[in-house]
Amino acid sequence: MAFLIAILVGTGLLMLPVSRAEPGGAPLVTALFTATSAVCVTGLIVQDTPTYWSAFGQSVILALFQVGGFGIMTGATLLGLLVTRRLKLTRRLIAQAETKSLSLGDVAAVLRLIFLVTVAVELLTTAVLTLRLRYGYDYDWSDALWHALFHAVSAFNNAGFSTYSDSLIGFALDPLMLAPIMASVVIGGLGFPVLHELRQNMRHPARWSVHTKITLLGTAFLLIAALAATAAYEWNNPATLGAFDWTGKLLNAASHSVMARTAGFNSVNIGEMHVETLAVTYVLMFIGGGSAGTAGGIKVTTFFLLGFVVWAEIRGQPDSNAFRRRIGSHPQRQALAIVLLSVACVGAGVLILLSVTSFPLEDVMFEVISAFATVGLSTGITGGLPPTGQLVIIVLMFIGRVGTITIASALALQERNVLFRYPEERPIVG
Amino acid sequence: MAFLIAILVGTGLLMLPVSRAEPGGAPLVTALFTATSAVCVTGLIVQDTPTYWSAFGQSVILALFQVGGFGIMTGATLLGLLVTRRLKLTRRLIAQAETKSLSLGDVAAVLRLIFLVTVAVELLTTAVLTLRLRYGYDYDWSDALWHALFHAVSAFNNAGFSTYSDSLIGFALDPLMLAPIMASVVIGGLGFPVLHELRQNMRHPARWSVHTKITLLGTAFLLIAALAATAAYEWNNPATLGAFDWTGKLLNAASHSVMARTAGFNSVNIGEMHVETLAVTYVLMFIGGGSAGTAGGIKVTTFFLLGFVVWAEIRGQPDSNAFRRRIGSHPQRQALAIVLLSVACVGAGVLILLSVTSFPLEDVMFEVISAFATVGLSTGITGGLPPTGQLVIIVLMFIGRVGTITIASALALQERNVLFRYPEERPIVG
Ligand SMILES: [K+]
Ligand SMILES: [K+]
């Protein structure tokens, strides 16, 4: 609900003439699209951010994705806390009624911690970027600060909005610009539960929870695999990595591997990539980042959890284990439900968008996965979508952002008493 | 193993000069591709069946897909019997050793039944088609019989090979040709366990097993949904359904819905279909037909079983039920493993084929899913594949055919003793 209100307020503000660079207010669909994209920290745009919106409009967008990102982090963390707490309590057979609420102290503590982490990371990134823009590019201080702040907030919240028309393509060969943004993106994308545990137990990896271990190792694995695949497929593509020397190729392959998983900045032109790279990027975008963070997608834990389950099945082990812990049947079924419902959403989105536009399949698939997993990358078709197509993307962004978290928590929280069980029967599978 | 031998023998026979219509033998890759496609009852072709191969060559192909289809049906049925029997026995705590073998009597009975069903359906279809070709198209008797026999065997085994260069497009407006073939395809695609149960308990649907109920209702649902989707998307496409009147449109939409799930005949030109229809067809092909039949894909039961699991999760029910029977956790995990491994195979296939060719994504995806699910439809790129691409398709057909059955049975048969269990831990999902 809070999301809807933020989107509607944002739409109203963006429709004001003062938000737009040219005279006259933005049309409803454009404002709605931009506000939804900002609040859901997606980053897809139908109008170029720096030229279409005024400084006020850009500030509104900045505020929207900061509010959206903070809301997602706190909301998902609190729901997660409710879920895990509840689980512990029901195990101890404490009355159900007590477990459905969190104490005010818990809520305040979580809000404070998330606020502090957000401010700390964003300020640090802003400072580094400001210095770089001031001394590397001769911006004056206020310009440098504005661009740095916008990108720092956008990066930590994985929003992907940029004050440059070509996103980060202008900085493709500048590691001093890309590295702080990439670091900020990765930290924001890990999710608060992992950050919290890292802060408490940094020195004792053995004590980390399975959730943290899967998220960290899974993220590292995905980053390296994506870097290798991007480099391999694009190494000699003159429109993307081919133009750089080998350090530039590696830097930008790394940048794509970080950004494609949910951030949505780009330092190379996505529209010029080979279709093989796009296919790899579909998978990366669909998986997304860590739970209860600003990342989208089905989440790293969901993906690898199902991987552990399949691995156990192949090995013929009755239990599905990960890092010497058993994965219960309930999280398994939950992960399965999330993945299949997500596939269904993406499939329906692709089919509808194909019906109302005439773009090729690879671009439509890219756009739909990017919207659903709130990534924000595009092969360049967003601006050319008809209003119906824009509405489809708006709905996908909203479902992808709010739907997965809400459904996941709802699935985890609900529990019914078993009045009777049916006898088991074994259909032939496969 | 038997499959490999059949493929190698077939390859050898097809390389003989006598198999080819023109002078000289067929090259190795062409013969290997055709033999694999026939034994795996896929139906993809790199060379036009009636013009490239001699009557002898076509007979070899006919023999290969008859042997392949029969082998799949018996092999999968026996394995399925082993699995279900074993399950029942272990429940009754009978010694494990006894359960790993089937009695010779069982094997003989299964072989005899499958043989009878195959011969009965194929003879009936051949008779109907022969009469139609003789009196409707003025073929002489021997020609009519040959074409009828070839299509009858091809249809029941869901092989999709045709003695016409344009498959069934020449009969697009003739329900008397299409209907018997469609009926034969559907019966062959249900799978032997369902046919056996129907024969025994035709009058008492309440006694049917969950497997039979899911297969029959699922098949009906998929057929109707596919007919509706095809009709809706292609109604006005002048290159496909648009050329027909409304009975022709419905007939050919029905034909596509039947053939796309695994048979691989086509009465309209797949290459001219809208990309929306292709996208729907991806899903149909991937799901495929019934277990332990000549159909490919992940199978109807696997698909709907996961659907029931997701539905139970959404409703918050601790048990996953279907038709008043509980679905055990083992078949659930097995279905999950099959689907995810299949997705991984298809994904890898698409990526590799994209790398070695320059066809558009929608055609490559179609080709890969068609090969993996042994469907045999093509948008027309098979003949244009380079040898490496043909090898990729050969491997996909083989894995898709042999792999899913073998893996499914292996998964179901293996069982390990639990020496110790790890404590349960709950990662955050989604
Ligand atoms: K984003
Ligand atoms: K086939």
Side-chain angles (χ1 to χ4, degrees):
Chain A
M1 278 325 287
F3 272 88
L4 267 183
I5 294 168
I7 290 173
L8 293 180
V9 171
T11 307
L13 287 174
L14 289 176
M15 284 177 75
L16 297 176
V18 68
S19 293
R20 208 175 143 179
E22 312 258 303
L28 173 63
V29 175
T30 304
L32 179 63
F33 191 100
T34 308
T36 309
S37 181
V39 172
C40 297
V41 293
T42 307
L44 286 172
I45 46 174
V46 280
Q47 295 290 352
D48 185 37
T49 310
T51 57
Y52 189 85
W53 305 107
S54 65
F56 176 78
Q58 294 179 35
S59 307
V60 170
I61 294 174
L62 174 68
L64 288 177
F65 61 66
Q66 176 60 81
V67 167
F70 188 75
I72 291 156
M73 266 207 157
T74 49
T77 305
L78 292 175
L79 282 170
L81 215 59
L82 205 59
V83 168
T84 44
R85 159 89 52 108
R86 167 114 191 271
L87 203 83
K88 278 184 201 155
L89 288 173
T90 45
R91 267 202 212 135
R92 291 177 200 153
L93 296 174
I94 290 177
Q96 218 180 4
E98 282 184 288
T99 68
K100 284 200 172 161
S101 59
L102 287 167
S103 74
L104 271 177
D106 284 342
V107 176
V110 167
L111 286 176
R112 199 173 55 237
L113 266 169
I114 294 181
F115 182 77
L116 286 177
V117 172
T118 306
V119 170
V121 176
E122 288 179 359
L123 280 187
L124 188 64
T125 317
T126 306
V128 175
L129 294 180
T130 306
L131 291 173
R132 180 64 190 157
L133 287 172
R134 174 73 188 87
Y135 294 108
Y137 296 84
D138 275 336
Y139 282 43
D140 59 34
W141 278 107
S142 67
D143 268 8
L145 184 63
W146 167 245
H147 288 287
L149 178 69
F150 196 95
H151 284 91
V153 176
S154 184
F156 180 74
N157 291 294
N158 276 276
F161 280 89
S162 172
T163 48
Y164 301 103
S165 302
D166 60 356
S167 190
L168 302 180
I169 292 180
F171 302 105
L173 290 175
D174 185 356
L176 293 179
M177 278 297 287
L178 291 185
I181 293 180
M182 283 159 66
S184 187
V185 160
V186 172
I187 293 172
L190 287 176
F192 180 74
V194 173
L195 295 180
H196 181 61
E197 201 166 342
L198 280 182
R199 215 181 67 108
Q200 290 198 312
N201 272 322
M202 181 61 103
R203 303 277 173 87
H204 308 286
R207 286 193 214 152
W208 291 348
S209 66
V210 170
H211 178 79
T212 296
K213 285 177 186 163
I214 294 183
T215 305
L216 288 179
L217 288 178
T219 301
F221 173 81
L222 288 174
L223 286 177
I224 293 166
L227 192 161
T230 310
Y233 281 122
E234 299 293 325
W235 197 264
N236 290 316
N237 183 346
T240 59
L241 299 186
F244 309 134
D245 63 2
W246 70 270
T247 49
K249 287 178 206 269
L250 286 182
L251 175 64
N252 284 279
S255 152
H256 183 67
S257 85
V258 168
M259 303 309 181
R261 285 190 35 253
T262 198
F265 290 115
N266 56 302
S267 56
V268 290
N269 189 339
I270 305 288
E272 297 287 344
M273 283 184 162
H274 291 308
V275 66
E276 294 91 328
T277 321
L278 294 185
V280 171
T281 309
Y282 296 157
V283 179
L284 291 174
M285 295 197 297
F286 188 72
I287 298 174
S291 300
T294 51
I298 60 167
K299 306 297 183 301
V300 173
T301 35
T302 312
F303 179 77
F304 283 99
L305 189 148
L306 288 179
F308 282 114
V309 173
V310 170
W311 181 239
E313 178 67 26
I314 292 174
R315 302 253 332 254
Q317 291 166 337
D319 287 348
S320 304
N321 299 320
F323 299 108
R324 296 172 180 277
R325 289 289 179 277
R326 184 156 44 87
I327 303 168
S329 66
H330 198 70
Q332 286 182 27
R333 219 174 62 164
Q334 208 178 317
L336 174 70
I338 287 171
V339 170
L340 294 188
L341 292 175
S342 298
V343 168
C345 277
V346 168
V350 168
L351 209 53
I352 297 171
L353 208 56
L354 281 176
S355 310
V356 300
T357 65
S358 53
F359 292 111
L361 178 66
E362 58 257 42
D363 293 342
V364 167
M365 272 183 71
F366 198 95
E367 195 78 11
V368 166
I369 301 178
S370 177
F372 182 80
T374 65
V375 177
L377 293 177
S378 174
T379 53
I381 68 170
T382 327
L385 291 175
T388 46
Q390 293 186 22
L391 286 174
V392 172
I393 297 291
I394 290 173
V395 171
L396 278 170
M397 292 193 290
F398 192 75
I399 295 180
R401 179 78 275 169
V402 180
T404 46
I405 294 175
T406 318
I407 291 175
S409 312
L411 295 184
L413 279 176
Q414 69 186 350
E415 203 164 277
R416 292 193 181 194
N417 294 322
V418 201
L419 297 177
F420 59 96
R421 303 185 84 177
Y422 289 115
E424 187 172 334
E425 193 171 316
R426 183 187 187 81
I428 304 171
V429 162
Chain B
M1 276 324 285
F3 271 88
L4 265 184
I5 294 166
I7 290 173
L8 293 180
V9 171
T11 306
L13 286 174
L14 289 176
M15 284 177 75
L16 298 176
V18 68
S19 292
R20 208 177 143 177
E22 312 257 305
L28 173 63
V29 176
T30 305
L32 179 64
F33 190 100
T34 308
T36 310
S37 181
V39 172
C40 297
V41 293
T42 306
L44 284 172
I45 46 175
V46 280
Q47 295 290 351
D48 186 37
T49 310
T51 57
Y52 189 85
W53 304 106
S54 65
F56 176 78
Q58 294 178 34
S59 307
V60 170
I61 295 174
L62 174 68
L64 289 177
F65 61 68
Q66 177 60 81
V67 167
F70 188 75
I72 292 157
M73 266 207 156
T74 48
T77 305
L78 292 175
L79 282 170
L81 215 57
L82 205 60
V83 169
T84 44
R85 159 89 52 110
R86 168 117 190 267
L87 202 83
K88 278 184 199 151
L89 289 173
T90 46
R91 267 203 212 136
R92 292 178 200 152
L93 297 174
I94 291 178
Q96 217 178 3
E98 280 183 288
T99 68
K100 283 200 172 163
S101 60
L102 288 168
S103 74
L104 270 179
D106 284 344
V107 175
V110 166
L111 286 177
R112 199 172 55 237
L113 266 171
I114 294 181
F115 182 77
L116 287 177
V117 172
T118 304
V119 170
V121 175
E122 289 180 358
L123 280 187
L124 188 64
T125 316
T126 306
V128 175
L129 295 180
T130 306
L131 291 174
R132 180 64 189 159
L133 287 172
R134 174 72 187 84
Y135 294 109
Y137 296 86
D138 275 337
Y139 282 44
D140 58 34
W141 280 106
S142 66
D143 267 8
L145 184 62
W146 167 246
H147 288 287
L149 178 69
F150 196 95
H151 283 92
V153 177
S154 184
F156 180 75
N157 291 294
N158 275 276
F161 280 89
S162 172
T163 49
Y164 299 104
S165 302
D166 59 357
S167 190
L168 302 180
I169 292 180
F171 302 104
L173 290 176
D174 186 356
L176 294 179
M177 278 298 287
L178 291 186
I181 293 179
M182 283 159 65
S184 189
V185 160
V186 171
I187 294 173
L190 286 176
F192 181 73
V194 172
L195 294 180
H196 181 59
E197 202 168 341
L198 281 182
R199 213 179 69 105
Q200 291 198 311
N201 273 323
M202 180 60 102
R203 302 277 173 85
H204 307 286
R207 286 194 214 149
W208 292 349
S209 66
V210 169
H211 178 77
T212 297
K213 285 178 187 163
I214 294 183
T215 305
L216 288 180
L217 288 179
T219 301
F221 172 81
L222 288 174
L223 287 177
I224 293 167
L227 192 161
T230 311
Y233 281 122
E234 299 292 325
W235 197 263
N236 290 317
N237 183 345
T240 59
L241 300 186
F244 308 133
D245 63 1
W246 69 269
T247 50
K249 288 177 206 270
L250 286 182
L251 176 64
N252 284 280
S255 152
H256 183 67
S257 84
V258 169
M259 303 309 183
R261 286 190 35 253
T262 197
F265 291 115
N266 56 301
S267 56
V268 289
N269 189 338
I270 305 288
E272 297 289 343
M273 283 184 163
H274 292 307
V275 67
E276 295 91 328
T277 322
L278 294 184
V280 172
T281 309
Y282 297 157
V283 179
L284 291 173
M285 295 196 297
F286 188 73
I287 297 174
S291 301
T294 52
I298 59 166
K299 306 295 183 304
V300 173
T301 35
T302 313
F303 179 76
F304 283 99
L305 189 148
L306 289 179
F308 283 114
V309 173
V310 170
W311 181 238
E313 177 67 27
I314 291 173
R315 302 252 334 254
Q317 291 165 338
D319 286 347
S320 303
N321 300 320
F323 299 108
R324 294 171 182 279
R325 290 289 178 280
R326 185 155 44 88
I327 304 167
S329 66
H330 198 69
Q332 286 182 28
R333 216 172 65 164
Q334 208 178 317
L336 174 70
I338 288 170
V339 170
L340 293 188
L341 292 175
S342 299
V343 169
C345 279
V346 168
V350 168
L351 209 53
I352 296 170
L353 208 56
L354 280 176
S355 310
V356 300
T357 67
S358 54
F359 292 110
L361 178 66
E362 58 258 40
D363 293 342
V364 168
M365 271 183 73
F366 198 96
E367 196 78 11
V368 167
I369 300 177
S370 178
F372 182 80
T374 66
V375 176
L377 293 178
S378 173
T379 54
I381 68 170
T382 327
L385 291 175
T388 47
Q390 293 186 24
L391 286 174
V392 172
I393 297 291
I394 289 174
V395 172
L396 277 169
M397 292 193 289
F398 191 75
I399 295 180
R401 179 78 274 170
V402 181
T404 45
I405 295 176
T406 319
I407 290 175
S409 310
L411 295 184
L413 279 176
Q414 69 187 348
E415 205 165 274
R416 291 194 182 193
N417 293 322
V418 201
L419 298 177
F420 59 96
R421 303 185 84 178
Y422 289 115
E424 189 172 334
E425 194 171 316
R426 183 187 189 81
I428 304 172
V429 163

